[in-house]
Amino acid sequence: MPDTQALVNDFLNKLKKRKIEGSQATAKQTAELLRSVISQTRMPYTNQAAALIHSVKAVGERLIAANPVELAVGNVVRRVLHIVREEDLSLTTAAMAGLNLSAESDDEDDTDRDNHPALSAAAIAAASRSTLRPPSLQTLLEDVPDSAAVPHTSSSGGDSEGKSKSADKSSRSRKLKHDVIEAVNELIQDISTCHELIAEQAVEHIHQNEVILTLGSSRTVLEFLCAAKEKKRSFRVFVAEGAPRYQGHLLAKELVTRGLQTTLITDSAVFAMISRVNMVIVGAHAVMANGGVIAPVGLNMVALAAQKHAVPFVVLAGSHKLCPLYPHHPEVLLNELRSPSELLDFGEFSDCLDFGSGIGAPLLHVVNPTFDYVPPKLVSLFITDTGGHNPSYMYRLIADYYSADDLVLERRTTSGN
Amino acid sequence: MGAQKKGATARVSEDPEELARHPLQAILLADSFTTKFRPITLERPKVLLPLVNIPMINYTLAWLESAGVEEVFVFCCAHSKQVIDYLESSEWSSQPNFSVTTIESHNSISAGDALRLIYERNVIHGDFVLISGDTVSNMSLTQALQEHKDRRKKDANAIMTMVVKQSKPSPITQQSRLGTDELFMAINPVTKQLLYYEDKAEYSKGFISLDKTLIADNPSVILHNDKQDCYIDICSQEVLSLFTDNFDYQHLRRHFVKGLLVDDIMGYKIFTHEIHSSYAARIDNFRSYDTISKDIIQRWTYPFVPDVLCGSSAIKVERQGTYRASDVTLSRSAQLGSFIFIGQGTKIGNDTKISHSVIGERCTIGSNVTIEGSYIWNNVTIEDGCQLRNAIVCDGVILKSGAVLQPGVILSFKVVVGQQFVVPAYSKVSLLQQPTQQDSDEELEYADSTSGTGELRSDKLNGDIAPDLSEIASELGTGGVGYIWKVFEGAYDEEWRHSVAPIPTDKLVKLMLDRDEDEELLTQDGNIISASGELKTDSDGNGSEDDDNEDSRDDYVSFEKEVEATFLRAVHENVKVDLAVLEVNALRLSYNMASVDCGGAIFYSMMKLAVESPHNSASELHRNAADIVTTWQKLLKSFLHDIDEEIEVILKFEEMCLESAKEFAALFPQILHLLYDKEILQEDAILRWADEKEGADESDKVFLKRSEKFIQWLREAEEEEEEEDE
């Protein structure tokens, strides 16, 4: 699969060079890449799910290593792994149901089946397992014609039995792949529409004549505010500029073009303005399993100011930003230090950085971190595409999206490197 | 990225739209064609030297790749095999949309040769980026390329865009933070055209001279001394053919850029593109190696920083700019200071202190070692109690216990320093004694003619590399292996400028004092040049032979000679007085002299002519002088506008009588009278001269006494006049 290999390398490069910005774009591209990896994976006859999981993991590990700060990559990889496991499970269940069905309905086949005791034993075991977990309606429906075909072909002649088995296998493998790809497509769809789903909830949160404060720029926040505006809510927005990248300026510009009453303030003026604010709405880089938020630098200060004045601090996050890891996890890189040139002009300060004279050691050190960590106790509410949640509920939400196996596995492989 | 396929089908074409579709190409010179990194570069090419533990060429290639360059031609010369092997085994040989092709040469000795060879290969089909393999940058090329292309559309002669960046030079050492000399550039602020480029200004002169036309032809010119040349050039194809046409172009800047700037026949133009927020710098010498390493550690080159290039799982950034690989064995009591890098597999012992340093992979560092501002490469063993300050230690070096490296020491590959041995400051130590013993291709790294053989040891007789153990042992202590390279007296001054060590304070103080003196000198010079008859300064400047300002003195002497020659020609060829005045005026302008100097010089030539024309007695000499003065009085008069200038003539005459034409000594009063009669000198001038001389030494008064009668007479005449007036 040289084609996907090139794609993977290309994407790895982009991640490494920090050429993709924003978790949504990253998440979407990761999902698309994994989809093509899955479609290119050759399926063996047995244990197809494991093969898929293996190939996704192999690529996923490299992607995560390429830019460990971008947690969305890891999130999507784990989501895809979870999808593979789920689909496999439901397929097995459905197949067992189909086998049982055919065994009951067709007595002729019983002799054939008895020739393969191993299979039937496995089938029975799987069937008994499957009873514990109800198969989804969709997979049941889709499986019916397939499983019906099996007895038909095998009944046509005893010699074609092996063939029919392999046909069954390949159709099943195609089935699994097909289902997984379908599900990944849904995931991609979810990622690209998460803004809308979040924005739909805007009217429930923003009320008439309120003052909203935000910092920096986030597309989710922009859509959220605009959705409220479209529903004829009139309110004012304070935008803190978000030094040193000043993306707040862009947000302010965008808001004004959409007809919102906007006030631009410096980051340091947040505390002075917070008493007039009714709600703080911000975006996030990632939401950790404990409900803590990794967010653009400066937000912890805003959160503390909000707490002091009892202003609700609301974080908007698409489901791809939910990270199953805890911030104290050793492999989680909470921060990235960017170039000091965003803070000051190299030319102007070049004489301060002359190592030829003096002690030869840099006396001026410029630190430019990208993120802040906002602890869960400062967050009042998370709004995700599934609705509003309390910080303490995040771990439960995360359990819905990820399987516990993948978390452990990820840790082992990364530390093994 | 899709442009690549289209570009491959569309061959060379003059249409700019067609050209734009070519994949962006780059020429990377994997050879600096200098000797600044010797002795290290005798064994390994400069581009493969580790910069914060990553070979330099990786930074350059990574940048080219991220800047959208799709095809890179790596020109290898010195140690070409090593470079090619490295590139083949590295990740760069298998990148999608980024091809790295090597071009090997064994006989190129300069960048000019390299570009000529590439031209012959005919591989460049459009605009290309010219860069050397030791450049670190994170700038975006998009804007610079666009500017370059837009200019090309308007003016086909705009063949090159040079990337510059603001960086203030140190006022004390006159060098940039990268250790290069202060660079002067004249740039048109509107069009950004480069008009003047001087990287080797002579500070002893204290001024740089610009061509008059530079200012005449351009409505506005800004002269910068705070710009740093990043050595990243966006060139059009013509650049290559220019190199081929001018086979004497060797150096990119010294020959090519300067050559284009002075050549107004072809009318090629060079433009500049200034970058502000992004970083670009070239490693030219050990000082820039130090500076750029520190810039990388401080993340100015983001995203080309070690933790991103190597992958964050391998190297982590901790507080205070500490980069640590995942499997470093660190003693509990070791003290790691700020801004350090520690590579994989390195072991560090008890109570060892490290600050501002880079330590490579698989090094073993003992207990109680102090490492400050040093660069330690891979597989180095440092035993207990060693001290390293501002040193570069290459692969496989062993420092036995208690060894001390003073600031600026360079230890090349596999050198062993004996126990308790102190390597003196700025020494360069290598296992290799004689660079000429190397293979022919390796010789190229130092084949630069400017400093090629300067550092060679004199004892070339020893023909084999195998170290003579007894001799070496004495050079680096017991058990030591390696030769300490000798530094010649002239080069010693440069050592501290380009070393990894910071400039010692005593040097700085000395430089500061020198500079103050220079400034005093400058102001003095200025006075002499701009003097409009300020008597004291001028007489001082011209009177005393061993004056500080030899230069202006020399200028004056040659000016005097020229004036004399002009005057003699005028006499012999019967040139009209007006024309002679014109000629002397022209001379005055070209030598930047005041009219008072002309008066003196003309008078001097007249008297000299009088002396040289045949005469038997003093009276004949007087007659000669009288004749000449009468004939040429108008010439002389036209340069004597006021009393000060006339006094100057008297002083000049006095000087002549004392030195060159002693025969006049006796005739002094008569000549003075003659000049008075011819109205060349006014009585005021003579009287003021007399007054001034009144207070002088007895020896100076000789002529005053001789002309006492005349002056007396003058005074009386004056008084009479006054009386008459009353």
Side-chain angles (χ1 to χ4, degrees), chain A residues 13 19 336-337 350 356 360, chain B residues 66 95 168 294 299 302 503:
Chain A
N13 242 318
K19 279 208 169 165
E336 174 152 74
L337 298 172
S350 56
Chain B
S66 73
Q95 291 281 326
K168 296 175 189 165
K294 282 177 177 148
R299 303 180 82 80
Y302 181 92
I503 300 166

Side-chain angles (χ1 to χ4, degrees), chain B residues 527-701:
Chain B
N527 269 349
I528 288 164
I529 291 164
S530 64
S532 53
E534 207 182 304
L535 192 67
K536 268 277 151 48
T537 331
D538 276 355
S539 62
D540 277 1
N542 300 335
S544 55
E545 280 297 340
D546 48 3
D547 201 280
D548 293 335
N549 33 40
E550 281 294 314
D551 275 359
S552 68
R553 178 81 200 151
D554 287 350
D555 270 4
Y556 184 73
V557 169
S558 62
F559 169 70
E560 214 172 55
K561 278 189 185 139
E562 286 283 335
V563 171
E564 195 186 331
T566 312
F567 177 70
L568 286 179
R569 204 170 58 243
V571 170
H572 295 310
E573 293 171 15
N574 275 328
V575 177
K576 276 188 189 159
V577 174
D578 292 351
L579 288 177
V581 170
L582 209 65
E583 277 192 50
V584 173
N585 251 328
L587 278 175
R588 176 175 72 90
L589 288 174
S590 69
Y591 278 88
N592 203 9
M593 292 293 170
S595 66
V596 57
D597 299 313
C598 298
I602 292 168
F603 183 70
Y604 173 79
S605 344
M606 283 171 157
M607 291 300 115
K608 211 173 165 196
L609 182 68
V611 173
E612 278 163 6
S613 50
H615 60 270
N616 295 324
S617 65
S619 57
E620 257 180 71
L621 180 63
H622 180 234
R623 207 179 313 125
N624 279 348
D627 284 351
I628 293 167
V629 170
T630 322
T631 327
W632 295 101
Q633 54 176 316
K634 213 175 148 199
L635 173 66
L636 190 55
K637 195 66 198 154
S638 61
F639 289 100
L640 302 177
H641 301 297
D642 60 22
I643 287 182
D644 287 335
E645 286 165 5
E646 288 166 18
I647 293 170
E648 174 64 14
V649 169
I650 303 174
L651 289 167
K652 183 87 198 162
F653 185 43
E654 207 178 358
E655 188 190 320
M656 271 179 79
C657 293
L658 277 173
E659 290 159 13
S660 49
K662 292 205 168 101
E663 287 170 83
F664 273 118
L667 288 172
F668 188 82
Q670 282 94 324
I671 300 285
L672 210 58
H673 195 183
L674 174 75
L675 291 175
Y676 174 71
D677 281 351
K678 296 290 174 197
E679 288 181 348
I680 291 168
L681 298 180
Q682 299 169 28
E683 59 180 55
D684 280 358
I686 299 170
L687 288 178
R688 270 199 22 208
W689 168 73
D691 289 348
E692 268 168 35
K693 281 285 170 183
E694 210 57 45
D697 293 344
E698 281 305 307
S699 58
D700 269 2
K701 282 196 199 163

Side-chain angles (χ1 to χ4, degrees), chain B residues 91-142:
Chain B
E91 49 172 336
W92 299 112
S93 52
S94 58
Q95 291 281 326
N97 302 323
F98 185 67
S99 76
V100 177
T101 318
T102 49
I103 294 176
E104 196 177 357
S105 161
H106 294 296
N107 51 12
S108 302
I109 54 153
S110 68
D113 287 344
L115 294 180
R116 279 184 277 276
L117 191 87
I118 290 167
Y119 180 71
E120 283 167 24
R121 295 281 175 97
N122 195 23
V123 286
I124 299 293
H125 305 300
D127 292 345
F128 64 96
V129 180
L130 180 59
I131 189 173
S132 78
D134 43 15
T135 311
V136 179
S137 174
N138 62 358
M139 69 174 279
S140 154
L141 273 179
T142 334

